[in-house]
Amino acid sequence: EAGVAQSPRYKIIEKRQSVAFWCNPISGHATLYWYQQILGQGPKLLIQFQNNGVVDDSQLPKDRFSAERLKGVDSTLKIQPAKLEDSAVYLCASSLSNQPQHFGDGTRLSIL
Amino acid sequence: AQSVTQLDSQVPVFEEAPVELRCNYSSSVSVYLFWYVQYPNQGLQLLLKYLSGSTLVESINGFEAEFNKSQTSFHLRKPSVHISDTAEYFCAVTVNSGGYQKVTFGTGTKLQVIP
Protein backbone atom coordinates (compact mmCIF):
# COMPACT_ATOMS: atom_id res chain seq x y z
CA GLU A 1 0.00 0.00 0.00
CA ALA A 2 1.14 3.55 -0.60
CA GLY A 3 2.35 5.34 2.51
CA VAL A 4 1.46 8.73 3.93
CA ALA A 5 2.52 11.44 1.49
CA GLN A 6 3.63 14.88 2.64
CA SER A 7 4.78 17.92 0.74
CA PRO A 8 6.92 19.88 0.59
CA ARG A 9 9.87 18.07 2.23
CA TYR A 10 11.62 21.31 3.08
CA LYS A 11 10.48 24.90 3.42
CA ILE A 12 12.41 28.03 4.33
CA ILE A 13 10.51 31.25 5.03
CA GLU A 14 11.03 34.49 6.89
CA LYS A 15 9.22 35.23 10.13
CA ARG A 16 5.76 36.71 9.74
CA GLN A 17 5.30 34.95 6.38
CA SER A 18 2.69 32.26 5.79
CA VAL A 19 3.24 28.61 4.96
CA ALA A 20 1.09 25.58 4.21
CA PHE A 21 1.77 21.87 4.38
CA TRP A 22 -0.13 19.11 2.66
CA CYS A 23 -0.76 15.53 3.72
CA ASN A 24 -2.41 12.61 1.91
CA PRO A 25 -3.05 9.72 4.31
CA ILE A 26 -3.20 6.03 3.55
CA SER A 27 -6.41 5.19 1.74
CA GLY A 28 -9.16 4.18 4.14
CA HIS A 29 -7.52 5.59 7.27
CA ALA A 30 -10.17 7.59 9.10
CA THR A 31 -7.84 9.16 11.65
CA LEU A 32 -5.30 11.79 10.62
CA TYR A 33 -2.79 13.50 12.92
CA TRP A 34 -0.51 16.50 12.61
CA TYR A 35 2.52 16.62 14.89
CA GLN A 36 5.19 19.20 15.54
CA GLN A 37 8.63 17.79 16.29
CA ILE A 38 11.15 20.30 17.51
CA LEU A 39 14.80 19.24 17.28
CA GLY A 40 15.68 16.92 20.14
CA GLN A 41 12.09 16.39 21.27
CA GLY A 42 9.36 13.88 20.74
CA PRO A 43 6.39 14.54 18.46
CA LYS A 44 3.80 16.88 19.91
CA LEU A 45 0.24 16.44 18.70
CA LEU A 46 -1.18 19.59 17.13
CA ILE A 47 -4.49 18.33 15.81
CA GLN A 48 -6.29 15.04 15.30
CA PHE A 49 -9.08 14.43 12.80
CA GLN A 50 -11.58 11.59 12.76
CA ASN A 51 -12.80 11.60 9.15
CA ASN A 52 -13.33 15.34 8.53
CA GLY A 53 -14.11 16.27 12.13
CA VAL A 54 -11.65 17.55 14.73
CA VAL A 55 -11.42 15.37 17.84
CA ASP A 56 -8.43 17.02 19.54
CA ASP A 57 -6.86 20.40 18.87
CA SER A 58 -6.04 21.28 22.46
CA GLN A 59 -2.35 21.96 21.70
CA LEU A 60 -2.85 23.82 18.44
CA PRO A 61 -1.87 27.53 18.70
CA LYS A 62 -5.10 28.68 17.15
CA ASP A 63 -4.06 32.30 16.83
CA ARG A 64 -1.63 31.32 14.08
CA PHE A 65 -2.17 27.66 13.16
CA SER A 66 -5.11 26.24 11.27
CA ALA A 67 -5.85 22.87 9.71
CA GLU A 68 -8.57 21.38 7.63
CA ARG A 69 -9.46 17.99 6.26
CA LEU A 70 -12.03 18.52 3.59
CA LYS A 71 -13.92 15.43 2.45
CA GLY A 72 -12.18 13.39 5.15
CA VAL A 73 -9.19 12.50 3.00
CA ASP A 74 -6.18 14.79 2.56
CA SER A 75 -5.38 17.64 4.90
CA THR A 76 -3.55 20.96 5.00
CA LEU A 77 -1.87 22.65 7.94
CA LYS A 78 -1.25 26.38 7.75
CA ILE A 79 0.83 28.78 9.82
CA GLN A 80 0.08 32.49 9.52
CA PRO A 81 2.14 34.41 10.54
CA ALA A 82 5.16 32.23 11.30
CA LYS A 83 7.39 32.84 14.31
CA LEU A 84 10.98 31.76 14.88
CA GLU A 85 9.87 29.14 17.40
CA ASP A 86 7.81 27.40 14.70
CA SER A 87 11.01 25.98 13.21
CA ALA A 88 10.46 22.24 13.41
CA VAL A 89 9.56 19.13 11.46
CA TYR A 90 5.83 18.79 10.86
CA LEU A 91 4.76 15.19 10.71
CA CYS A 92 1.50 13.81 9.39
CA ALA A 93 0.27 10.37 10.38
CA SER A 94 -2.82 8.29 9.74
CA SER A 95 -4.31 5.20 11.26
CA LEU A 96 -7.26 2.87 11.44
CA SER A 97 -9.14 2.82 14.72
CA ASN A 98 -7.02 1.46 17.60
CA GLN A 99 -4.19 0.59 15.26
CA PRO A 100 -0.64 1.97 15.05
CA GLN A 101 0.00 5.18 13.21
CA HIS A 102 1.72 5.36 9.85
CA PHE A 103 3.90 8.44 9.44
CA GLY A 104 4.95 10.48 6.47
CA ASP A 105 8.56 11.70 6.13
CA GLY A 106 7.62 15.14 7.37
CA THR A 107 8.17 18.72 6.28
CA ARG A 108 11.22 20.46 7.73
CA LEU A 109 10.37 24.13 8.29
CA SER A 110 13.09 26.70 8.87
CA ILE A 111 12.15 30.24 9.87
CA LEU A 112 14.73 32.97 9.18
CA ALA B 1 -4.22 12.07 31.53
CA GLN B 2 -1.57 9.61 30.48
CA SER B 3 2.16 10.26 30.28
CA VAL B 4 5.27 8.51 28.99
CA THR B 5 8.76 8.77 30.44
CA GLN B 6 11.93 7.83 28.64
CA LEU B 7 14.62 8.58 31.17
CA ASP B 8 17.60 8.04 28.89
CA SER B 9 18.00 10.70 26.22
CA GLN B 10 21.08 8.99 24.75
CA VAL B 11 22.41 5.45 25.00
CA PRO B 12 25.82 4.62 23.54
CA VAL B 13 26.55 0.92 23.12
CA PHE B 14 29.21 -1.11 21.34
CA GLU B 15 28.28 -3.18 18.31
CA GLU B 16 27.10 -6.72 19.17
CA ALA B 17 26.47 -5.73 22.80
CA PRO B 18 22.99 -5.95 24.35
CA VAL B 19 20.89 -2.86 24.93
CA GLU B 20 17.80 -1.88 26.89
CA LEU B 21 15.87 1.34 26.28
CA ARG B 22 13.57 2.17 29.15
CA CYS B 23 9.98 3.34 28.93
CA ASN B 24 7.57 3.94 31.81
CA TYR B 25 4.05 5.19 31.52
CA SER B 26 1.21 6.35 33.72
CA SER B 27 -2.46 6.00 32.96
CA SER B 28 -5.68 5.49 34.88
CA VAL B 29 -7.18 3.37 32.09
CA SER B 30 -6.08 0.48 29.91
CA VAL B 31 -3.37 1.31 27.41
CA TYR B 32 -1.92 0.16 24.13
CA LEU B 33 1.85 0.52 23.90
CA PHE B 34 4.14 1.09 20.95
CA TRP B 35 7.78 1.58 20.08
CA TYR B 36 8.64 3.63 17.01
CA VAL B 37 12.03 4.16 15.40
CA GLN B 38 13.09 7.31 13.56
CA TYR B 39 16.06 7.42 11.21
CA PRO B 40 17.54 10.81 10.21
CA ASN B 41 15.30 12.91 7.97
CA GLN B 42 12.52 10.36 8.07
CA GLY B 43 9.21 9.95 9.81
CA LEU B 44 8.58 7.47 12.59
CA GLN B 45 8.23 3.78 11.76
CA LEU B 46 6.44 1.26 13.93
CA LEU B 47 8.88 -1.14 15.56
CA LEU B 48 6.52 -3.19 17.71
CA LYS B 49 3.23 -2.96 19.55
CA TYR B 50 1.37 -4.36 22.52
CA LEU B 51 -2.40 -4.39 22.15
CA SER B 52 -3.38 -7.46 24.18
CA GLY B 53 -2.40 -11.07 24.78
CA SER B 54 1.20 -12.11 25.34
CA THR B 55 3.12 -9.49 27.27
CA LEU B 56 6.30 -10.18 25.30
CA VAL B 57 6.26 -8.78 21.78
CA GLU B 58 8.94 -9.08 19.14
CA SER B 59 9.91 -7.26 15.97
CA ILE B 60 11.28 -8.75 12.79
CA ASN B 61 14.74 -7.24 13.33
CA GLY B 62 15.48 -8.74 16.72
CA PHE B 63 14.01 -6.18 19.12
CA GLU B 64 11.60 -7.22 21.83
CA ALA B 65 9.63 -5.46 24.54
CA GLU B 66 7.77 -6.72 27.55
CA PHE B 67 4.65 -5.14 28.95
CA ASN B 68 4.88 -5.09 32.74
CA LYS B 69 1.60 -3.83 34.16
CA SER B 70 2.71 -3.83 37.80
CA GLN B 71 5.76 -1.72 37.02
CA THR B 72 3.98 0.27 34.29
CA SER B 73 6.90 -0.34 31.97
CA PHE B 74 7.45 -1.33 28.35
CA HIS B 75 11.24 -1.54 28.01
CA LEU B 76 12.79 -2.25 24.62
CA ARG B 77 15.64 -4.76 24.40
CA LYS B 78 17.93 -6.28 21.82
CA PRO B 79 20.53 -8.95 22.67
CA SER B 80 23.04 -7.84 20.03
CA VAL B 81 22.92 -4.47 18.27
CA HIS B 82 24.14 -3.59 14.79
CA ILE B 83 25.44 -0.33 13.39
CA SER B 84 22.21 -0.03 11.44
CA ASP B 85 20.25 0.18 14.70
CA THR B 86 21.62 3.68 15.28
CA ALA B 87 18.49 5.82 15.37
CA GLU B 88 16.11 7.53 17.76
CA TYR B 89 13.50 5.38 19.50
CA PHE B 90 10.17 6.65 20.78
CA CYS B 91 7.82 4.94 23.18
CA ALA B 92 4.13 5.81 22.85
CA VAL B 93 0.99 5.05 24.81
CA THR B 94 -2.53 5.11 23.44
CA VAL B 95 -5.77 5.21 25.39
CA ASN B 96 -9.35 5.29 24.23
CA SER B 97 -10.84 8.64 25.21
CA GLY B 98 -14.27 9.89 24.28
CA GLY B 99 -14.59 7.49 21.36
CA TYR B 100 -11.20 8.15 19.81
CA GLN B 101 -7.65 7.11 20.56
CA LYS B 102 -5.36 9.58 22.29
CA VAL B 103 -1.65 9.08 21.69
CA THR B 104 1.19 10.38 23.84
CA PHE B 105 4.84 10.07 22.86
CA GLY B 106 7.90 10.00 25.06
CA THR B 107 10.79 12.38 24.46
CA GLY B 108 12.85 9.74 22.69
CA THR B 109 16.12 7.89 23.25
CA LYS B 110 18.97 8.19 20.80
CA LEU B 111 20.72 4.87 20.37
CA GLN B 112 24.29 5.24 19.16
CA VAL B 113 25.98 2.00 18.17
CA ILE B 114 29.76 2.25 18.33
CA PRO B 115 31.83 0.09 15.95
Side-chain angles (χ1 to χ4, degrees):
Chain A
E1 63 181 6
V4 176
Q6 287 189 250
S7 67
R9 285 299 315 274
Y10 305 93
K11 189 73 176 178
I12 301 174
I13 61 172
E14 295 184 347
K15 60 183 180 182
R16 291 188 288 273
Q17 285 188 322
S18 302
V19 65
F21 314 125
W22 174 81
C23 172
N24 191 23
I26 291 173
S27 177
H29 282 194
T31 310
L32 185 147
Y33 313 77
W34 281 103
Y35 290 91
Q36 180 191 60
Q37 187 177 20
I38 293 173
L39 187 64
Q41 299 182 19
K44 170 189 162 186
L45 180 68
L46 293 175
I47 189 167
Q48 180 176 343
F49 292 93
Q50 186 77 15
N51 296 306
N52 61 346
V54 176
V55 296
D56 188 349
D57 63 357
S58 56
Q59 298 191 91
L60 186 74
K62 298 180 185 62
D63 57 333
R64 297 183 301 106
F65 286 66
S66 64
E68 60 182 10
R69 191 184 184 195
L70 299 176
K71 302 180 181 179
V73 182
D74 56 349
S75 175
T76 56
L77 176 70
K78 297 179 181 177
I79 308 175
Q80 180 181 7
K83 292 185 175 181
L84 291 175
E85 60 261 34
D86 298 333
S87 292
V89 175
Y90 290 85
L91 295 166
C92 180
S94 69
S95 73
L96 295 168
S97 181
N98 293 333
Q99 292 299 314
Q101 298 170 77
H102 295 256
F103 284 82
D105 286 335
T107 296
R108 184 176 298 275
L109 176 65
S110 298
I111 312 292
L112 303 179
Chain B
Q2 71 272 20
S3 66
V4 180
T5 302
Q6 293 181 250
L7 287 174
D8 305 307
S9 59
Q10 293 189 54
V11 173
V13 63
F14 286 103
E15 192 174 15
E16 298 183 5
V19 70
E20 179 179 82
L21 307 184
R22 295 181 292 169
C23 172
N24 289 88
Y25 70 92
S26 68
S27 174
S28 57
V29 298
S30 296
V31 298
Y32 304 123
L33 294 159
F34 305 89
W35 275 100
Y36 289 86
V37 58
Q38 185 176 35
Y39 299 101
N41 297 318
Q42 294 185 24
L44 281 70
Q45 302 172 31
L46 179 70
L47 189 60
L48 44 76
K49 62 185 178 184
Y50 171 76
L51 302 181
S52 64
S54 174
T55 58
L56 182 66
V57 291
E58 299 177 353
S59 72
I60 58 173
N61 56 356
F63 283 94
E64 65 178 29
E66 186 161 18
F67 170 52
N68 188 318
K69 189 173 182 180
S70 62
Q71 296 187 7
T72 61
S73 68
F74 191 55
H75 301 331
L76 181 69
R77 294 187 290 264
K78 188 170 185 179
S80 176
V81 296
H82 300 133
I83 293 291
S84 59
D85 294 326
T86 295
E88 189 156 19
Y89 293 80
F90 292 93
C91 182
V93 62
T94 297
V95 301
N96 286 324
S97 174
Y100 68 95
Q101 61 177 17
K102 188 172 178 65
V103 184
T104 303
F105 281 88
T107 52
T109 298
K110 290 183 179 177
L111 174 63
Q112 182 183 6
V113 180
I114 304 165

